[in-house]
Amino acid sequence: KTYLMAAFIYLDLHFARLHPGDSRFARNFVVFAPQASKTAILPSLQTIRNFDPSWVLPAKDAAELRRLVHFEILDSLSSKRRDKLHGNNPNLEKVNRLTQTRDFGLVFITNAEKVVMEKLSPEDQKIADPSSLFYDEKKASEVVKINALREKLSQIPGISVILDEAHHVFSTSGEDEKKLK
């Protein structure tokens, strides 16, 4: 299944290179594993790097794409650093660093809960809203920090989202489905 995801990635990239203006073909990817409690999934997704694209593409094209693709595992825990220069989300730092120099062939692999925003309670929404009487600047900055990685990934051009083990993500209440969308 991991290699099937890799095949889709390489095929999309191949057609994106053949048809650069066609938005049907992704130029970058984020692959989500379900929650971290399913600990075996994220490490197994890392084997996506080992896929040989010549299984689905002509050898010359496969070799060229293999050189262009960059896989990045976003598995770091939040840092406790307080310096303003570097921030304190190592995953966000990786994405920022890579997107400054590349806009094609980036494949980020991470757990969904590192990116999917938690829904704010009505009380938290009042505290985080600058126009509210209950606005709290510290709480608002925490909300921004929590969602920064998701926002950065959403700004990457031509990104496609692949969700591994999707059946683990949805609950019977439907709340997790809404959060994931």
Side-chain angles (χ1 to χ4, degrees), residues 145-165:
K145 194 183 311 179
I146 288 168
N147 297 308
L149 179 58
R150 183 198 59 166
E151 288 303 314
K152 183 61 181 179
L153 288 171
S154 72
Q155 295 168 6
I156 296 173
I159 195 156
S160 179
V161 176
I162 299 173
L163 181 61
D164 188 27
E165 300 286 338

Side-chain angles (χ1 to χ4, degrees), residues 82-116:
R82 295 290 176 216
D83 56 337
K84 300 291 184 203
L85 193 58
H86 295 292
N88 63 359
N89 184 335
N91 296 319
L92 179 59
E93 291 173 22
K94 287 180 188 179
V95 174
N96 280 330
R97 177 179 41 83
L98 288 166
T99 56
Q100 287 176 1
T101 58
R102 304 177 62 124
D103 68 349
F104 184 88
L106 294 170
V107 181
F108 298 103
I109 301 171
T110 190
N111 288 323
E113 74 264 8
K114 288 191 186 300
V115 176
V116 177

